[in-house]
Amino acid sequence: MVKAKEQSIAIRKAGLGYNGKAILDDVDLEIAPGDVVCLLGQNGAGKTTLFRTMLGFIAPVHGSVTLSGREVSRLSPREIACIVSYVPQSYAMPFAYSVSDVVLFGRSVHLGLFSSPGARDRHVAAECLDLLEISHLAARPFNELSGGERQMVIIARALAQEARFMILDEPASNLDYGNQVRVIRKVRELAGRNIGILMATHHPDHAFMAASRVAVLSGGKLSHDGSPEAMLTPETLRSLYGVEVQVFDTPQNGHASRRVCAPVVE
């Protein structure tokens, strides 16, 4: 049997930063397949530093960062990409690639230096388009899509890597409300496929919609690693964002109520 730690992303007692100086200290975080960990924090709190360390772009100042039981520092970029994929806030293509080609780029981590995508690679890319319900966009130029459509395509490209984990950096930040809901629903569906997800957001409601756990970056620490219901309290949100917030339950058309939050407008 494979040990749980060998199936997870794990950061242990780590200091994260640059040039030997930690801007985040004593970081402990573990993400297993099927987890959705929602990361909240003000701008400048250190989310980018955390992501860059997990993706192997910078080394931890101290402590350990492991992907599937192996130190990230001992993994090649290709090995890292086979374990964890990354979805940025926004993405633009320099050329007029089609949507199907953009998603196919996700297969590059499985190809040799001079190899071309084969039948299986194209099949996987097509499956990812279908899963995200955007197969009808396959022939469209990526740069002509709406913001919501582009974000779905980039998630499909990350999914095509067939990595066990996915990091999403504010995937719904530039989207209208309807597209935000669609993206968050897809995040929940991907977790149901046993993909571990770390998702940064500035919207606590996204955590109530999709997350199994919430982690908060504040004051150089990663804290409050618990369920959304336990961690997203008015006190925590006031401390994090400096505004009064109400947290309450709302009925859901005959289903169990869902917790939401709203700022107090005086």
Side-chain angles (χ1 to χ4, degrees):
M1 180 178 295
V2 179
K3 295 180 180 179
K5 70 177 182 180
E6 294 176 349
Q7 298 180 357
S8 67
I9 293 177
I11 305 175
R12 300 297 187 206
K13 302 297 181 184
L16 313 181
Y18 305 88
N19 301 317
K21 182 177 180 181
I23 63 173
L24 298 174
D25 210 0
D26 201 25
V27 176
D28 271 289
L29 180 66
E30 184 166 358
I31 305 168
D35 284 347
V36 180
V37 179
C38 194
L39 179 67
L40 280 77
Q42 293 182 333
N43 291 329
K47 294 189 293 293
T48 299
T49 300
L50 176 64
F51 291 164
R52 287 175 60 82
T53 306
M54 294 172 69
L55 293 166
F57 296 133
I58 56 176
V61 176
H62 57 80
S64 68
V65 179
T66 59
L67 305 181
S68 295
R70 301 173 64 190
E71 286 283 347
V72 69
S73 60
R74 301 188 177 208
L75 297 171
S76 69
R78 181 184 293 272
E79 288 173 320
I80 293 171
C82 287
I83 298 171
V84 57
S85 59
Y86 174 64
V87 176
Q89 291 183 39
S90 60
Y91 193 88
M93 284 288 175
F95 303 105
Y97 291 109
S98 69
V99 165
S100 60
D101 283 341
V102 171
V103 176
L104 196 57
F105 292 158
R107 299 298 302 162
S108 61
V109 300
H110 300 285
L111 303 177
L113 183 60
F114 299 107
S115 299
S116 298
R120 184 178 185 279
D121 300 305
R122 297 185 185 281
H123 177 72
V124 169
E127 280 191 329
C128 293
L129 286 170
D130 187 57
L131 178 65
L132 273 296
E133 299 179 34
I134 53 174
S135 295
H136 61 288
L137 301 175
R140 291 273 304 277
F142 176 81
N143 286 339
E144 294 181 8
L145 302 181
S146 70
E149 290 169 335
R150 288 190 191 189
Q151 199 67 355
M152 287 293 192
V153 172
I154 296 305
I155 293 173
R157 184 188 67 170
L159 188 61
Q161 289 179 220
E162 295 187 307
R164 187 174 295 170
F165 302 95
M166 187 179 291
I167 295 174
L168 300 101
D169 188 1
E170 300 181 33
S173 62
N174 298 315
L175 306 183
D176 63 45
Y177 185 73
N179 280 320
Q180 285 186 31
V181 172
R182 293 182 186 96
V183 168
I184 299 304
R185 282 175 177 167
K186 289 302 175 184
V187 168
R188 191 168 54 195
E189 289 178 21
L190 294 178
R193 295 171 66 90
N194 213 33
I195 296 172
I197 294 172
L198 176 62
M199 179 180 70
T201 183
H202 286 302
H203 299 279
D205 280 333
H206 293 170
F208 288 129
M209 290 174 65
S212 52
R213 286 157 43 220
V214 169
V216 174
L217 272 176
S218 180
K221 301 288 185 181
L222 182 69
S223 57
H224 305 299
D225 188 6
S227 71
E229 292 74 19
M231 306 322 307
L232 293 182
T233 64
E235 294 75 20
T236 297
L237 294 172
R238 183 194 314 119
S239 174
L240 183 60
Y241 295 114
V243 295
E244 295 293 331
V245 178
Q246 291 180 322
V247 179
F248 51 92
D249 294 320
T250 59
Q252 294 288 301
N253 296 326
H255 299 286
S257 63
R258 183 172 70 83
R259 191 158 292 184
V260 298
C261 62
V264 175
V265 180
E266 299 179 353

